[in-house]
Amino acid sequence: MPVRYLIVDDERPSRSNLRLALATHPDWRLVAECDGTAAARAVLSAREVDVIFLDIQMPAESGLVLAREISRACAPPLIVFVTAYSEHAIDAFEVHALDYLLKPLNDARLAQAVERIGAMLGQRQREAYGAALRDYVDAGQTKAALERINVRSVGRIEQIRVADILWIESAGNYVELHLAGRTVLHRITLNRLEALLVPEDFLRVHRGAIVRRGEIARLDSIGDGSYRLTLRCGATVAVSERYLGALKSAM
């Protein structure tokens, strides 16, 4: 089945660049190009769309307003947000497993987004995607504490409750979310995720580890000035000198 897509961007060169880049994918079909959210609403009310490439910063109305409306559908089209670089915005996209493209367009990054979209559509994950999208737009509207992390694997999205996370370990550009009985890998750096967590609930104890405060059980000195933290779940985590004072205060 062809993938029907819509481009919403107030800049004509950006729309043209994206259309030409997607023309190399034979199964993708352009439904329309819109220069704003009003025109996009008209298209969406009349045509079936699988994917929307949505610019965020537009003069008449932000793309996030349209995204919030779309998120209320039970099986919304997938959205790839198009934005100029913003560290905070990228953090939010990644924690909610949403795709984004940075301006100017990068062909390799676009190819990655196309691959992810194909997997999502193939496994009929629009309802799970809709829940992730609602989490994103609602968090941006209310500035509420992060309650869920939406983890994307091949073709699917799983919602992980932050309240279920016992500790978090860095794995390069990924983090390992340690839950009771299993570990989930999520694509976001530890530093970025730390900025989204509530400090009253989590504590950094090492450049590669964050623990839930309620899981702290015992701190042991293991020689050569090194320390090891034992958690209530039974896991042991290395503690670096940089974070030792804060850990002792928390205990």
Side-chain angles (χ1 to χ4, degrees):
M1 294 290 292
V3 177
R4 300 159 295 190
Y5 72 95
L6 172 67
I7 299 175
V8 185
D9 195 318
D10 64 300
E11 298 176 351
R12 183 186 296 272
S14 295
R15 297 197 304 269
S16 298
N17 289 342
L18 184 53
R19 170 171 39 82
L20 292 172
L22 287 169
T24 62
H25 299 275
D27 294 333
W28 284 62
R29 303 285 186 271
L30 177 64
V31 174
E33 292 182 24
C34 301
D35 61 3
T37 55
R41 288 187 184 94
V43 172
L44 291 170
S45 66
R47 306 283 298 276
E48 290 289 332
V49 174
D50 300 308
V51 182
I52 304 173
F53 290 89
L54 180 60
D55 188 16
I56 291 180
Q57 297 170 317
M58 293 184 286
E61 185 177 59
S62 167
L64 293 179
V65 176
L66 180 60
R68 186 170 293 115
E69 295 171 10
I70 291 170
S71 74
R72 302 307 169 194
C74 61
L78 306 186
I79 295 178
V80 177
F81 291 96
V82 182
T83 181
Y85 184 76
S86 166
E87 189 77 17
H88 175 73
I90 300 310
D91 291 349
F93 293 146
E94 291 182 345
V95 81
H96 291 295
L98 303 178
D99 269 316
Y100 62 92
L101 295 174
L102 297 177
K103 293 183 178 181
L105 185 65
N106 179 288
D107 289 340
R109 184 66 184 82
L110 175 61
Q112 185 183 53
V114 166
E115 182 179 0
R116 288 175 174 173
I117 289 166
M120 289 287 293
L121 293 175
Q123 298 212 13
R124 303 182 184 277
Q125 282 283 300
R126 285 199 185 188
E127 289 187 19
Y129 175 84
L133 182 61
R134 284 191 294 275
D135 279 351
Y136 168 69
V137 295
D138 288 347
Q141 187 177 34
T142 64
K143 305 300 182 184
L146 181 66
E147 294 183 355
R148 287 178 293 274
I149 296 175
N150 295 280
V151 177
R152 177 174 47 210
S153 56
V154 179
R156 64 189 296 265
I157 290 177
E158 178 186 5
Q159 291 196 322
I160 303 296
R161 294 175 66 246
V162 172
D164 293 335
I165 298 173
L166 305 179
W167 66 289
I168 308 166
E169 186 175 15
S170 175
N173 290 327
Y174 290 78
V175 295
E176 294 179 350
L177 306 175
H178 292 270
L179 315 174
R182 67 186 182 116
T183 299
V184 178
L185 192 66
H186 180 51
R187 184 175 175 80
I188 190 173
T189 65
L190 192 65
N191 286 341
R192 284 183 169 180
L193 181 55
E194 181 184 21
L196 300 170
L197 297 172
V198 177
E200 290 78 13
D201 293 337
F202 290 91
L203 180 68
R204 188 79 171 255
V205 298
H206 190 275
R207 63 183 178 85
I210 296 172
V211 302
R212 177 174 291 281
R213 290 177 180 266
E215 282 294 306
I216 296 172
R218 188 178 74 248
L219 179 64
D220 296 304
S221 174
I222 55 176
D224 298 327
S226 299
Y227 288 83
R228 180 176 60 209
L229 178 65
T230 300
L231 304 182
R232 297 187 186 279
C233 63
T236 58
V237 182
V239 177
S240 62
E241 185 176 357
R242 176 181 177 183
Y243 301 102
L244 183 59
L247 174 59
K248 286 182 175 180
S249 296
M251 296 181 72

